[in-house]
């Protein structure tokens, strides 16, 4: 436990040092049409997740050098994008390159597995960006990532998943706790936002950890640990495509954004709702669902159906409020 206390202190000091640097060089998040905040806040506090991976490596050894290189590459370019907007092509090329490093770490880059490699690249990069899209209100990125990471710890304890690297998970949990100290606050009270460096960085780490489990078990249903984000993120993309919108442009159409903006539900209440729902789904998967592939798929399909129905009913009832907001912006 002493080593984790030392890691907590180091990460806390690193975050405070970053705040000094960000304040000095005016690294701030100005509100835009996608934002759910109206004040200027320090951007990039989520760099702590990248720092935590290097701290973990320093204490526990460089066990996954290609993963660490990929994370550093994608988080570094995401941080550059936080400072000055980069083109979508540049970001996607970097993301695919970083994921290719992870696949190399897993020993997957073989010509005979080309279709698996292609599918893995698309899923990894797609899921990373969906998680990034979901970073829009105080507390949701830090809180949701803690639920995913804690679920991985519980799964390891209950099912003895040797592919789950507990020191890496615990170190990342500590980073999440440090970030939440400054971000899991009511609207207008956050000291910092994650920025792309944070949301992309934590997504990259979580997907690597889940990928390790999938590689060991051969069971892709472990992605259920990201189901709540997946439903909101993917269905919102489908909705925007149906509206003939550019999905790369800023917006406020996610269910959590409508809750926070149009329904005026507190940021922490919305973030906590997403955390609780995902935790219930994950705990059911770990402790209630029998540990067989068939049961896992049945549980996943059932949970997916419930969440999709809830999303559709919510949007049918409240989306008109967002349309009214859009009309008011034209006047």
């Amino acid at each position: 436990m002493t080593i984790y206390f030392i890691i907590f202190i180091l990460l806390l000091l690193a975050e405070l040092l970053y705040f000094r640097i960000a304040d000095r060089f005016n690294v701030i998040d100005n509100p835009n049409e996608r934002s759910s905040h109206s004040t200027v806040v320090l951007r990039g506090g989520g760099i702590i997740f990248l720092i935590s991976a290097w701290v973990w490596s320093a204490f526990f050894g460089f066990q996954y050098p290609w993963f660490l290189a990929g994370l550093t590459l994608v988080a570094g370019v995401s941080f550059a994008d936080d400072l000055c907007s980069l083109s979508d092509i540049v970001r996607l090329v970097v993301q695919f390159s970083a994921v290719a490093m992870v696949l190399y770490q897993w020993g997957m880059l073989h010509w005979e597995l080309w279709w698996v490699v292609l599918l893995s690249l698309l899923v990894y990069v797609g899921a990373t960006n969906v998680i990034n899209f979901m970073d829009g209100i105080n507390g949701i990125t830090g809180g949701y990532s803690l639920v995913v990471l804690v679920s991985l710890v519980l799964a390891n304890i209950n099912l003895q998943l040797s592919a789950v690297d507990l020191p890496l998970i615990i170190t990342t949990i500590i980073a999440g706790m440090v970030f939440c100290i400054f971000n899991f606050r009511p609207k207008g009270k956050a000291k910092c936002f994650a920025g792309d460096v944070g949301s992309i960085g934590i997504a990259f780490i979580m997907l690597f950890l889940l990928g390790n489990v999938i590689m060991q078990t051969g069971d892709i249903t472990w992605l259920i640990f990201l189901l709540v984000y997946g439903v909101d993120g993917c269905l919102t993309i489908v909705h925007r495509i149906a509206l003939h919108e550019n999905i790369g442009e800023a917006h406020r159409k996610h269910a959590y954004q409508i809750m926070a903006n149009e329904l005026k539900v507190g940021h922490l209440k919305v973030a906590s709702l997403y955390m609780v729902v995902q935790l219930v789904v994950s705990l059911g998967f770990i402790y209630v669902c029998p540990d067989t592939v068939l049961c896992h798929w049945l549980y996943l399909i059932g949970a997916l159906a419930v969440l999709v129905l809830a999303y559709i009913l919510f949007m049918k009832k409240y989306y008109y409020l967002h349309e009214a907001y859009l009309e008011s912006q034209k006047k």
Side-chain angles (χ1 to χ4, degrees), residues 185-240:
R185 299 181 178 186
K187 181 179 179 180
K189 302 294 184 180
K191 172 70 174 179
C192 70
F193 292 151
D196 283 355
V197 64
S199 55
I200 293 288
I202 189 59
F204 198 86
I205 295 172
M206 291 191 299
L207 288 164
F208 174 72
L209 292 167
L210 285 169
N212 282 347
V213 176
I214 293 170
M215 290 287 290
Q216 176 185 324
T217 62
D219 184 359
I220 198 173
T221 61
W222 286 98
L223 288 174
I224 197 172
F225 283 7
L226 298 172
L227 187 64
V228 175
Y229 260 23
V231 169
D232 190 336
C234 292
L235 289 185
T236 300
I237 291 173
V238 171
H239 185 196
R240 297 194 69 205

Side-chain angles (χ1 to χ4, degrees), residues 116-149:
V116 177
V117 171
L118 179 59
L119 181 61
S120 299
L121 284 169
L122 292 174
V123 170
Y124 205 128
V125 172
T128 297
N129 283 285
V130 167
I131 293 172
N132 183 36
F133 294 158
M134 294 297 293
D135 179 35
I137 59 173
N138 294 358
I140 196 166
T141 292
Y144 191 86
S145 64
L146 286 177
V147 168
V148 175
L149 295 166

Side-chain angles (χ1 to χ4, degrees), residues 22-176:
D23 189 52
R24 171 69 177 79
F25 292 97
N26 204 36
V27 183
I28 58 176
D29 193 300
N30 288 305
N32 58 32
E33 60 270 27
R34 175 178 179 262
S35 303
S36 296
H37 67 287
S38 56
T39 58
V40 174
V41 182
L42 292 178
R43 173 185 286 189
I47 198 172
I48 196 66
F49 296 115
L50 171 61
I51 295 172
S52 71
W54 279 95
V55 170
W56 163 76
S57 296
F59 276 93
F60 296 98
F62 290 81
Q63 304 173 44
Y64 305 120
W66 287 101
F67 156 70
L68 188 60
L71 172 63
T72 303
L73 174 63
V74 75
V77 171
S78 296
F79 185 65
D81 189 45
D82 285 330
L83 298 179
C84 54
S85 184
L86 302 177
S87 71
D88 292 341
I89 296 297
V90 170
R91 288 186 283 109
L92 284 175
V93 168
V94 168
Q95 289 173 13
F96 276 104
S97 300
V99 173
M101 293 180 186
V102 169
L103 299 187
Y104 183 78
Q105 183 74 69
W106 287 335
M108 288 180 58
L109 294 185
H110 302 290
W111 284 113
E112 60 270 24
L113 296 175
W114 67 267
W115 65 274
V116 177
V117 171
L118 179 59
L119 181 61
S120 299
L121 284 169
L122 292 174
V123 170
Y124 205 128
V125 172
T128 297
N129 283 285
V130 167
I131 293 172
N132 183 36
F133 294 158
M134 294 297 293
D135 179 35
I137 59 173
N138 294 358
I140 196 166
T141 292
Y144 191 86
S145 64
L146 286 177
V147 168
V148 175
L149 295 166
V150 168
S151 297
L152 280 168
V153 172
L154 296 176
N156 180 76
I157 294 172
N158 189 58
L159 302 174
Q160 295 299 306
L161 297 174
S162 60
V164 178
D165 192 301
L166 281 179
L168 175 57
I169 297 176
I170 294 172
T171 301
T172 310
I173 287 174
I174 293 171

Side-chain angles (χ1 to χ4, degrees), residues 240-295:
R240 297 194 69 205
I241 291 174
L243 294 173
H244 305 290
E245 294 183 355
N246 181 352
I247 62 173
E249 292 182 351
H251 69 98
R252 301 200 326 186
K253 288 182 169 64
H254 286 289
Y256 77 86
Q257 290 173 317
I258 292 176
M259 291 180 195
N261 298 317
E262 278 71 42
L263 296 179
K264 307 302 180 183
V265 180
H267 284 203
L268 299 191
K269 291 181 180 179
V270 176
S272 296
L273 173 63
Y274 275 62
M275 291 168 62
V276 169
V277 174
Q278 182 60 66
L279 184 60
V280 170
V281 170
S282 299
L283 291 180
F285 188 77
I286 296 169
Y287 294 108
V288 177
C289 181
D291 188 22
T292 66
V293 174
L294 176 60
C295 291

